[in-house]
Amino acid sequence: MERRAFRIGDRLVDGGELLERGLLLVCAALAVVLPILDTSLADIADDILLHDLRLLGAATYLLLVTYAVGFFGVFTPCMREHMRFIDLAGLIMAAVAVSRAVYMIGWAHLPVAAEEGGLATVPLAGFYLSCGSLPLFILLLGSFWQLRRDWHPSTAHGRAATTGT
């Protein structure tokens, strides 16, 4: 399938790649802004965001910066050789966010050791996926797609020929 390229100023930009990276940037922004998990414990009801200290803290904004650099790198031909490493950084950040959220859910349901040597379970601890978890999973899958395409030899040479580098 041939991808459509168009000119912006003196740059030749691949329209499909621009759309894909734009969607990843939007998903990264939604994953940062929207709550990822909904906590409903016996006495606490709370939404957990990616930038909460319980998940990633200030490192969440590296996720947004990574996908912004990937989006604006489409307009810069000298960034072509570095895009695969930018995509790899985005994939690592998204994977860490998902694994940290899965760890929090699993940790809440694991048994806790009681003082008398027996085991007691956490009383009705509940974590539920919230509306921000969908953009995060789309971001993870889109990052795999971008990274697979960047490291595939046939698409990397085709893209270099399209952009003129």
Side-chain angles (χ1 to χ4, degrees):
M1 183 175 165
E2 186 175 328
R3 300 178 80 136
R4 182 179 167 111
F6 57 92
R7 287 202 176 277
I8 297 178
D10 61 342
R11 308 272 187 234
L12 191 62
V13 177
D14 184 8
E17 185 179 9
L18 184 67
L19 179 67
E20 289 171 1
R21 292 193 182 275
L23 288 175
L24 287 176
L25 180 61
V26 167
C27 284
L30 288 176
V32 169
V33 172
L34 297 175
I36 299 298
L37 297 173
D38 182 25
T39 309
S40 62
L41 298 173
D43 55 347
I44 301 171
D46 191 17
D47 287 335
I48 298 176
L49 301 166
L50 274 180
H51 54 83
D52 286 344
L53 290 178
R54 294 174 280 182
L55 276 177
L56 292 179
T60 302
Y61 298 106
L62 291 176
L63 182 73
L64 192 57
V65 167
T66 302
Y67 286 103
V69 167
F71 176 74
F72 291 113
V74 173
F75 300 106
T76 310
C78 64
M79 289 293 292
R80 272 287 138 226
E81 60 193 43
H82 304 295
M83 290 300 265
R84 61 180 63 175
F85 299 109
I86 294 169
D87 291 336
L88 182 62
L91 176 66
I92 289 171
M93 289 298 296
V96 166
V98 168
S99 64
R100 184 74 177 132
V102 168
Y103 171 76
M104 282 188 67
I105 292 171
W107 176 77
H109 294 293
L110 287 177
V112 179
E115 292 181 13
E116 297 177 8
L119 293 177
T121 59
V122 177
L124 297 176
F127 282 94
Y128 303 99
L129 296 177
S130 190
C131 54
S133 59
L134 181 64
L136 185 62
F137 288 124
I138 292 173
L139 193 65
L140 186 64
L141 294 176
S143 297
F144 273 122
W145 175 259
Q146 284 292 109
L147 195 64
R148 184 203 62 83
R149 201 181 70 195
D150 281 346
W151 286 89
H152 197 270
S154 64
T155 57
H157 294 296
R159 198 171 324 132
T162 305
T163 57
T165 58

